[in-house]
Amino acid sequence: MNRLHEKLQDVYEEVARRNPGEDEFHQSVYEVLQSLGPVVAKHPEYADSAVIRRLCEPERQIIFRVPWVDDNGTVQINRGFRVEFNSALGPFKGGLRFHPTVYLGIVKFLGFEQIFKNSLTGMPIGGGKGGADFDPKGRSDAEVMRFCQSFMTELYRHLGEYTDVPAGDTGVGMREIGYLFGQYKRITNRYESGVLTGKGTTWGGSQVRTEATGYGTVFFVNEILKSTDDTFEGKTAVVSGSGNVAIYAIEKIHELGGTVVACSDSSGYVYDPKGIDLEILKEIKEVRRGRIAEYAEMRAGAAQFVKDRNVWEVPCDIAIPCATQNEINGDEAAALIKNGCRIVAEGANMPCSPSAIKQFNEAGVIFAPGKAANAGGVATSALEMQQNASRDSWTFVDTELRLEQIMRRIHNRCLVTAEEYGQPGNYVAGANIAGFIRVADAMLALGLV
Ligand code: NDP
């Protein structure tokens, strides 16, 4: 690990000491602090006023028991979390993740990332994240409903359209948001649409929210391509995962003329040289909640399932990791570089480890960090809140156009900021610095709170 700027090294050491065992959180803080050296050199007031130290400490952390009864009548106990990280720019905003790996360190890393991402969108939203170590995989709808109701029975008291507005993330899609919203409504006796985003379009949701993170990431890549006078036409892409973000990233790449030849889940990947058939993928993943191996069976010889292997061994021009944190490490990065990959854009949160990012930089691979590239999801959530507040609903075309414009603005803000701080073309520096400055200035304006 390189040493940080002298005014930031102590901040990092304090974070590591006060949050023992939370490796992902340490990693995300280190990554941001690494970018802020030139900022504190130019503006020492950010370090001297302790705004950076304050940013690293969540405003509030909630941990709670979630008891529920499974279909066999057995009592199950899970642990729920909500980390309300920073509300200088607006109500806490960020998704809920239901996955067995969820613990406080994961929620804090996601919440910390969310502060800068939300700031970068230019919209009035603070940063937070939550979830539970509950695994919806293999559970019946009734079990998922009982879990969500128990989860919300505890969490509702901390939420509100002006306080904290959760959304979905891994393991939390429209089904879960529906059960959570239903229980919130029942307990509070209020149809408060703006308290959750990712709702169904017939009950307060926004058009394009389902597609937004995947589409937004691809719009971001399209801006990168445009900045080098290039297009998606004829490009080969690999997308990891086959969940919400992955499916709509694939859809938009195909619309823009590229071909996605492989995608995955935690059991392996499928390789389909003619391009992933989205109708089949959606049927398996969105309707049947099945496994990726079924895709190869349904494509009858046209596609191959590769069990327990990593999708990054498949050659591509563009790689879009959309599964989970640290899925691309040194070896995967080396394979991508060797096979000629030119652009890596994070659809997931922190899927590339620091050593992978270093390798991409050294090899001249353009790297777009999740904070910027996947911000389209939360930006569209903010559009959903806007529609809820005005009791309006916009068309798909209008909402998608807004999303595209937001992604273009984020892309340009990253480039302009990176240039201003002496690191032209460095999207990581641009995203971290631009996201930081907006939230830090708001914190200074609001006083020591
Ligand atoms: P989903 O639960 O819909 O999908 C996750 C996908 O990733 C599944 O196909 C899952 O497979 C796969 N996956 C998980 N772990 C692994 C692994 N170790 N190896 C291979 N595949 C794996 O989640 P989302 O699509 O919503 O989220 C994906 C990522 O995008 C997360 O990092 C999330 O934080 C981020 N993100 C999501 C946003 C959103 O709007 N949904 C917004 C911004 C970021 P399996 O079913 O086998 O577990």
Side-chain angles (χ1 to χ4, degrees):
M1 244 184 211
N2 298 331
R3 212 172 151 75
L4 298 166
H5 184 282
E6 56 179 347
K7 288 183 187 279
L8 300 171
Q9 184 66 31
D10 287 354
V11 178
Y12 177 72
E13 283 168 13
E14 187 181 14
V15 167
R17 182 174 51 76
R18 297 186 71 207
N19 302 276
E22 298 176 3
D23 295 349
E24 297 83 359
F25 179 46
H26 302 172
Q27 185 182 333
S28 62
V29 170
Y30 185 84
E31 194 252 352
V32 170
L33 295 183
Q34 225 177 3
S35 298
L36 297 187
V39 182
V40 292
K42 204 166 167 183
H43 299 286
E45 65 273 18
Y46 287 130
D48 298 341
S49 61
V51 77
I52 301 176
R53 278 178 58 213
R54 268 197 287 153
L55 247 173
C56 294
E57 181 68 18
E59 289 182 31
R60 191 176 296 120
Q61 304 179 52
I62 304 145
I63 303 181
F64 50 100
R65 181 174 64 197
V66 190
W68 58 284
V69 179
D70 69 19
D71 286 347
N72 299 322
T74 306
V75 172
Q76 301 282 345
I77 310 287
N78 286 99
R79 187 172 291 171
F81 302 88
R82 186 72 182 164
V83 172
E84 299 183 332
F85 225 117
N86 193 294
S87 61
L89 292 172
F92 304 105
K93 182 87 198 87
L96 298 172
R97 175 177 292 191
F98 291 168
H99 195 271
T101 57
V102 167
Y103 79 107
L104 188 57
I106 293 270
V107 181
K108 274 199 213 159
F109 121 64
L110 290 165
F112 187 73
E113 291 274 302
Q114 199 79 43
I115 303 170
F116 304 93
K117 182 188 304 189
N118 294 5
S119 169
L120 257 186
T121 66
M123 295 162 118
I125 40 179
K129 202 82 187 190
D133 59 355
F134 167 72
D135 190 356
K137 224 179 288 164
R139 292 290 179 190
S140 68
D141 286 353
E143 288 178 315
V144 171
M145 183 179 74
R146 288 196 293 275
F147 175 80
C148 289
Q149 290 179 339
S150 180
F151 184 87
M152 186 51 94
T153 301
E154 183 59 33
L155 189 62
Y156 86 95
R157 71 193 84 237
H158 302 287
L159 307 183
E161 63 176 313
Y162 297 108
T163 311
D164 186 348
V165 183
D169 189 81
T170 299
V172 179
M174 203 183 291
R175 173 184 61 170
E176 290 74 16
I177 292 292
Y179 296 148
L180 292 164
F181 183 67
Q183 184 72 350
Y184 182 87
K185 182 175 81 63
R186 181 189 194 191
I187 296 173
T188 60
N189 195 31
R190 284 163 63 86
Y191 204 107
E192 192 183 329
S193 302
V195 74
L196 284 170
T197 58
K199 300 180 294 293
T201 50
T202 54
W203 41 279
S206 174
Q207 297 287 346
V208 193
R209 178 60 192 90
T210 304
E211 296 83 355
T213 308
Y215 277 19
T217 304
V218 176
F219 285 143
F220 195 94
V221 175
N222 203 31
E223 292 302 315
I224 295 175
L225 288 165
K226 278 201 258 172
S227 72
T228 56
D229 278 334
D230 207 346
T231 68
F232 264 104
E233 211 59 53
K235 300 277 186 305
T236 298
V238 166
V239 170
S240 65
S242 47
N244 172 261
V245 182
I247 287 174
Y248 293 96
I250 297 170
E251 184 163 285
K252 188 51 75 180
I253 291 171
H254 285 176
E255 263 178 57
L256 294 178
T259 306
V260 178
V261 294
C263 65
S264 62
D265 66 16
S266 56
S267 62
Y269 71 84
V270 286
Y271 175 59
D272 190 336
K274 290 222 159 63
I276 296 291
D277 184 323
L278 259 183
E279 218 173 295
I280 294 180
L281 189 66
K282 284 185 183 180
E283 161 69 24
I284 295 167
K285 290 292 178 181
E286 293 188 331
V287 181
R288 292 200 264 125
R289 298 181 190 276
R291 307 304 297 154
I292 201 72
E294 296 164 38
Y295 178 91
E297 287 159 25
M298 287 173 75
R299 285 284 281 152
Q304 183 191 349
F305 172 60
V306 185
K307 192 170 182 297
D308 292 334
R309 300 273 311 186
N310 196 301
V311 73
W312 306 118
E313 65 191 25
V314 178
C316 62
D317 303 307
I318 298 169
I320 310 202
C322 297
T324 192
Q325 60 276 355
N326 291 326
E327 57 171 299
I328 300 186
N329 288 295
D331 290 349
E332 291 80 16
L336 282 166
I337 293 165
K338 183 172 137 275
N339 288 332
C341 177
R342 304 305 311 147
I343 298 176
V344 177
E346 294 185 324
N349 286 312
M350 210 168 74
C352 299
S353 71
S355 68
I357 298 169
K358 187 161 174 280
Q359 287 189 58
F360 293 142
N361 288 339
E362 286 166 3
V365 172
I366 299 175
F367 173 72
K371 264 184 219 92
N374 73 34
V378 75
T380 308
S381 277
L383 298 179
E384 182 171 333
M385 291 163 75
Q386 219 172 308
Q387 292 168 78
N388 292 153
S390 57
R391 300 191 186 283
D392 200 357
S393 66
W394 310 331
T395 64
F396 192 96
V397 173
D398 183 21
T399 317
E400 189 185 7
L401 195 62
R402 288 177 197 241
L403 169 64
E404 192 173 1
Q405 285 164 348
I406 291 167
M407 296 315 295
R408 187 171 305 133
R409 274 205 303 272
I410 295 174
H411 173 266
N412 294 345
R413 197 167 293 146
C414 289
L415 280 191
V416 168
T417 310
E419 180 94 36
E420 189 185 334
Y421 283 86
Q423 296 171 72
N426 186 334
Y427 286 94
V428 174
N432 285 339
I433 296 172
F436 167 76
I437 288 176
R438 181 166 176 250
V439 72
D441 286 347
M443 287 174 75
L444 288 174
L446 299 186
L448 193 57
V449 289

